């Protein structure tokens, strides 16, 4: 009876030791995102640089678009223009448009510069100026969409490179295949795939935000341009 108790106690102690060793091994082998990025090789460095570039362009363009899209300010601007025109003070309206350093201000200023010509000519001048403003707002936005497309492709390139490394190790070792020797190549393949997908998803989302913001600016400019043309059509 005593021997059985001693055997049970020994088995319990062995089980506890095994559990402790397993916990210790799991804690020491825990991999962080930074470790994954570092072990991914030079492909991960390229992906990080592309992501930084895309985020920088996104922030710069988003702030620029926010400055161009000021609903309340644009409404007050058009109201003052309407008031000056109704009062017959065209010079004041022209100066206000010239001093307003926004896409809308430049569009209306271009319209005032064509006063005295037929209304279709004025409208054409405003539309041309609007196209130039939109083109200026869209600068470098294509870089974000390019990175969104390149990210997964570069990640896949890393996958191919990692698998080539793994097969090279298998060819060099012959029949004596060492799992640890293959692990680095396979690890690079998997990590770069994940990194490429993350960069692609993030940049795709950022690009859609910018495109949506640009569409809002274009719509706002069209509305204000129509207001200005309606103002010119009003009887004196």
């Amino acid at each position: 009876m005593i021997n059985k108790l001693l055997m049970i106690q020994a088995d319990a102690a062995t089980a506890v030791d095994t559990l402790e060793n397993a916990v210790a091994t799991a804690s020491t082998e825990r991999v962080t995102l930074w470790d994954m990025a570092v072990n991914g090789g030079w492909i991960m460095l390229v992906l990080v640089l592309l992501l930084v570039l895309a985020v920088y362009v996104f922030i710069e363009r988003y702030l620029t678009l926010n400055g161009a899209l000021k609903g309340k300010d644009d409404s007050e601007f058009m109201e003052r223009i309407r008031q000056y025109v109704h009062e017959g003070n065209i010079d004041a309206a022209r100066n206000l448009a010239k001093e307003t350093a926004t896409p809308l201000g430049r569009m209306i200023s271009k319209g005032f510069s064509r006063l005295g010509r037929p209304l279709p000519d004025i409208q054409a001048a405003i539309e041309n100026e609007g196209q130039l403003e939109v083109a200026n707002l869209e600068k470098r936005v294509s870089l974000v969409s390019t990175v969104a497309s390149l990210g997964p492709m570069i990640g896949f390139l890393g996958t191919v490179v990692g698998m080539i490394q793994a097969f090279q190790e298998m060819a060099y070792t012959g029949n004596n295949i060492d799992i640890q020797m293959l692990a680095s190549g396979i690890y690079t393949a998997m990590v770069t795939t994940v990194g490429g997908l993350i960069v692609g998803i993030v940049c795709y989302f950022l690009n859609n935000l910018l495109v949506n913001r640009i569409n809002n600016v274009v719509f706002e400019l069209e509305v204000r341009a129509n207001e200005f043309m309606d103002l010119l059509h009003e009887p004196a």
Side-chain angles (χ1 to χ4, degrees):
M1 186 66 179
I2 296 176
N3 290 334
K4 289 183 178 181
L5 292 175
L6 292 176
M7 292 175 62
I8 293 173
Q9 184 177 4
D11 291 340
T14 302
V16 171
D17 292 339
T18 302
L19 181 60
E20 290 178 350
N21 292 333
V23 172
T25 301
S27 62
T28 56
E29 294 180 353
R30 184 176 300 169
V31 180
T32 63
L33 291 176
W34 174 254
D35 293 333
M36 293 176 60
V38 171
N39 294 329
W42 63 270
I43 296 290
M44 291 299 294
L45 177 61
V46 174
L47 290 173
V48 170
L49 292 176
L50 288 176
L51 181 60
V52 170
L53 174 63
V55 171
Y56 169 78
V57 172
F58 169 78
I59 294 174
E60 188 269 334
R61 286 291 89 190
Y62 194 82
L63 294 177
T64 301
L65 291 169
N66 275 348
L69 186 60
K70 300 178 180 179
K72 183 178 179 181
D73 293 343
D74 290 344
S75 298
E76 294 177 353
F77 169 77
M78 291 303 301
E79 185 61 30
R80 293 180 62 187
I81 292 291
R82 182 184 300 275
Q83 181 180 355
Y84 286 139
V85 172
H86 285 170
E87 294 174 353
N89 195 351
I90 302 299
D91 291 336
R94 182 184 288 111
N95 292 334
L96 174 62
K98 187 179 297 184
E99 294 171 358
T100 304
T102 63
L104 177 59
R106 288 185 284 270
M107 283 178 55
I108 302 303
S109 179
K110 179 63 70 172
F112 277 121
S113 68
R114 296 295 189 270
L115 285 182
R117 297 186 180 183
L119 291 179
D121 292 348
I122 298 176
Q123 185 171 2
I126 293 176
E127 290 176 353
N128 291 336
E129 183 65 25
Q131 292 175 359
L132 293 176
E133 293 295 333
V134 172
N136 185 57
L137 293 174
E138 290 177 341
K139 283 183 178 179
R140 295 181 293 278
V141 173
S142 60
L143 284 175
V144 181
S145 61
T146 301
V147 174
S149 301
L150 280 179
M153 295 175 64
I154 294 177
F156 181 70
L157 173 63
T159 302
V160 174
V161 171
M163 296 307 297
I164 290 175
Q165 292 176 352
F167 282 114
Q168 281 182 338
E169 294 294 340
M170 292 175 62
Y172 291 154
T173 56
N175 295 328
N176 300 322
I177 298 177
D178 188 354
I179 298 299
Q180 291 184 350
M181 295 175 65
L182 301 178
S184 61
I186 299 175
Y187 190 86
T188 300
M190 297 299 101
V191 169
T192 54
T193 300
V194 174
L197 290 174
I198 291 175
V199 171
I201 291 171
V202 171
C203 293
Y204 180 79
F205 176 73
L206 297 181
N207 181 70
N208 283 347
L209 287 179
L210 290 179
V211 170
N212 181 66
R213 202 66 175 170
I214 290 173
N215 291 336
N216 291 337
V217 173
V218 172
F219 176 77
E220 186 72 18
L221 292 178
E222 290 177 350
V223 170
R224 303 306 178 187
N226 290 332
E227 287 184 13
F228 180 72
M229 294 306 302
D230 291 340
L231 178 61
L232 296 182
H233 281 88
E234 292 179 1

